[in-house]
Amino acid sequence: MNGRRIVFADWLRITACFLVMLVHAAENFYGADSSGLAGNVSMLANESNRFWVAFYDGFCARSCVPLFIVLSSFLLVPMKPGQTMTGFYRKRFGHVLPPMILFMFLYCILPLAWGGMTWEQSLADLKMIPWNFPSMAGHLWFMYPLLSLYLIIPVVSPWLEKSTAKEELIFIGLFVVSTFIPFIHRFIAEEIWGECFWNGFSLLWYCSGFLGYLVLSHFIRFHLKWNNSRRMIIGAISFLAGAVFTGWSFWLKGEPGVVLPTPDLEWAWHFCSPNVLAATFGMFLMFSCIRSDSAPKAVTSLSKLSFGMYLMHLFYLAPIANAVIGGNAADPAVPVWAAIPLIACATFVCCAITSWLISKIPGSKWIIGA
């Protein structure tokens, strides 16, 4: 990469950041608890909410998390020549851990200012910081698998540097098989391939999860020699196939007026499922067709700010959603087809402005990573 920014990566990072906000905007229309977001149980108020949540959250945006994983892997794997494990850890963890920890504290404390949580909940969340994300910051779950990939990159990087396309395809094939495990668990058997109450590490454990996206990213970067036309056609087909199934799966299970366990409603929304994998692969391929030498300055700036925008976005999304919905998800102040993208867009703009202002402060990298 020779120190130059990869233009399509900036566009993709911004898009993935917005899609995260679109997902959380849509959750306000099927969450069944007081937070408005989807918790353990969900309920769709009507057929309109059923369709538009399936469209925006399932079809359009469900690839947001894997896109971040593929993109990070694309930029970081293999490691730079001569870079040591400790050097890699120092740089990557030094970039993301301080902002992450800061915002974990903020999500434990700031909601007290507007009555969004009790002192008891705040203290309980503060005690949990060494162990997990705060209750008001569910989106920070993503940081843990991201950090786990940082931990494993120095281990797998030497293999990827020497591996052939065929060898990587073997691993990717095993990863693809592993993405069917959630469906096998649901429809065939709760425990397979060695799983039991004393062993959670099944046959394909070490070939599954987000590590599969990491290897896929490396394969695309170094071994996939398709031209733009082929990337665009196959990417579009792959995205549509995966996204249509993902949206349809939610619509199929949703029953307006019926309270459902959220895992039952989101049965095909696992990030490591074959449909989400197909949609992610397709979208990444289509974005990789952007081959310009430079991006508009605004795009580059937003890309650099995207981590901070992701960290803070739930602070803005909740009050914006309340204003747009008007207290009634069944009959919102703005029609649901417009409300979901409006909430996401307004949140995105507020986060962009806030992150830009913070970036002007000396030492802002410790706050938002930029």
Side-chain angles (χ1 to χ4, degrees), residues 263-299:
D264 289 348
L265 189 58
E266 298 180 351
W267 66 275
W269 281 15
H270 302 276
F271 295 118
C272 294
S273 62
N275 45 295
V276 175
L277 169 59
T280 302
F281 174 69
M283 187 177 291
F284 191 87
L285 279 189
M286 289 189 289
F287 269 88
S288 72
C289 293
I290 300 174
R291 300 294 178 90
S292 57
D293 293 330
S294 62
K297 185 177 180 180
V299 171

Side-chain angles (χ1 to χ4, degrees), residues 184-240:
I184 297 173
H185 280 160
R186 177 170 290 273
F187 298 113
I188 300 177
E190 293 184 2
E191 295 176 338
I192 62 170
W193 301 336
E195 293 174 330
C196 47
F197 77 84
W198 64 86
N199 175 49
F201 303 97
S202 64
L203 173 68
L204 293 180
W205 178 269
Y206 298 104
C207 301
S208 62
F210 292 117
L211 177 60
Y213 283 109
L214 184 152
V215 178
L216 175 64
S217 171
H218 185 272
F219 179 85
I220 293 172
R221 179 180 172 190
F222 290 97
H223 300 299
L224 199 66
K225 304 302 181 182
W226 295 347
N227 58 29
N228 271 12
S229 177
R230 191 174 185 184
R231 284 173 179 250
M232 184 61 69
I233 293 171
I234 294 179
I237 293 172
S238 180
F239 171 78
L240 287 172

Side-chain angles (χ1 to χ4, degrees), residues 135-215:
S135 60
M136 301 290 284
H139 65 302
L140 295 183
W141 74 267
F142 167 72
M143 295 304 301
Y144 296 91
L146 179 66
L147 293 173
S148 74
L149 284 181
Y150 288 170
L151 287 172
I152 203 67
I153 282 175
V155 178
V156 300
S157 187
W159 170 65
L160 289 170
E161 287 186 72
K162 300 176 182 178
S163 62
T164 64
K166 183 178 180 180
E167 290 169 339
E168 290 186 28
L169 281 175
I170 291 173
F171 185 93
I172 292 169
L174 294 171
F175 166 57
V176 171
V177 173
S178 78
T179 64
F180 286 89
I181 291 177
F183 297 166
I184 297 173
H185 280 160
R186 177 170 290 273
F187 298 113
I188 300 177
E190 293 184 2
E191 295 176 338
I192 62 170
W193 301 336
E195 293 174 330
C196 47
F197 77 84
W198 64 86
N199 175 49
F201 303 97
S202 64
L203 173 68
L204 293 180
W205 178 269
Y206 298 104
C207 301
S208 62
F210 292 117
L211 177 60
Y213 283 109
L214 184 152
V215 178

Side-chain angles (χ1 to χ4, degrees), residues 43-350:
M43 187 184 75
L44 291 157
N46 50 47
E47 286 292 343
S48 178
N49 290 15
R50 178 189 187 188
F51 175 83
W52 289 111
V53 170
F55 175 73
Y56 285 119
D57 197 336
F59 177 87
C60 296
R62 191 43 47 174
S63 298
C64 57
V65 167
L67 282 173
F68 274 122
I69 295 295
V70 175
L71 183 57
S72 294
S73 303
F74 188 90
L75 299 174
L76 296 176
V77 181
M79 298 192 318
K80 296 178 180 178
Q83 189 174 35
T84 64
M85 175 183 278
T86 54
F88 179 84
Y89 287 166
R90 188 180 301 112
K91 183 173 183 179
R92 299 319 309 167
F93 285 95
H95 177 71
V96 301
L97 271 182
M100 171 190 169
I101 294 171
L102 171 63
F103 272 87
M104 290 175 76
F105 278 100
L106 291 177
Y107 278 104
C108 293
I109 297 171
L110 282 186
L112 290 168
W114 55 81
M117 68 190 321
T118 64
W119 279 102
E120 290 76 14
Q121 183 181 355
S122 174
L123 291 174
D125 283 355
L126 286 169
K127 291 178 182 178
M128 281 299 295
I129 283 180
W131 313 112
N132 214 339
F133 54 84
S135 60
M136 301 290 284
H139 65 302
L140 295 183
W141 74 267
F142 167 72
M143 295 304 301
Y144 296 91
L146 179 66
L147 293 173
S148 74
L149 284 181
Y150 288 170
L151 287 172
I152 203 67
I153 282 175
V155 178
V156 300
S157 187
W159 170 65
L160 289 170
E161 287 186 72
K162 300 176 182 178
S163 62
T164 64
K166 183 178 180 180
E167 290 169 339
E168 290 186 28
L169 281 175
I170 291 173
F171 185 93
I172 292 169
L174 294 171
F175 166 57
V176 171
V177 173
S178 78
T179 64
F180 286 89
I181 291 177
F183 297 166
I184 297 173
H185 280 160
R186 177 170 290 273
F187 298 113
I188 300 177
E190 293 184 2
E191 295 176 338
I192 62 170
W193 301 336
E195 293 174 330
C196 47
F197 77 84
W198 64 86
N199 175 49
F201 303 97
S202 64
L203 173 68
L204 293 180
W205 178 269
Y206 298 104
C207 301
S208 62
F210 292 117
L211 177 60
Y213 283 109
L214 184 152
V215 178
L216 175 64
S217 171
H218 185 272
F219 179 85
I220 293 172
R221 179 180 172 190
F222 290 97
H223 300 299
L224 199 66
K225 304 302 181 182
W226 295 347
N227 58 29
N228 271 12
S229 177
R230 191 174 185 184
R231 284 173 179 250
M232 184 61 69
I233 293 171
I234 294 179
I237 293 172
S238 180
F239 171 78
L240 287 172
V244 166
F245 183 91
T246 307
W248 168 82
S249 70
F250 182 95
W251 180 89
L252 174 71
K253 191 65 177 179
E255 296 181 54
V258 177
V259 176
L260 293 170
T262 301
D264 289 348
L265 189 58
E266 298 180 351
W267 66 275
W269 281 15
H270 302 276
F271 295 118
C272 294
S273 62
N275 45 295
V276 175
L277 169 59
T280 302
F281 174 69
M283 187 177 291
F284 191 87
L285 279 189
M286 289 189 289
F287 269 88
S288 72
C289 293
I290 300 174
R291 300 294 178 90
S292 57
D293 293 330
S294 62
K297 185 177 180 180
V299 171
T300 303
S301 298
L302 280 173
S303 178
K304 293 177 180 178
L305 297 172
S306 60
F307 182 48
M309 294 167 63
Y310 155 77
L311 290 172
M312 70 178 65
H313 80 273
L314 285 191
F315 282 132
Y316 284 110
L317 191 139
I320 290 172
N322 288 336
V324 172
I325 294 171
N328 186 0
D331 185 24
V334 177
V336 63
W337 64 266
I340 294 175
L342 177 60
I343 293 167
C345 288
T347 302
F348 186 90
V349 171
C350 289

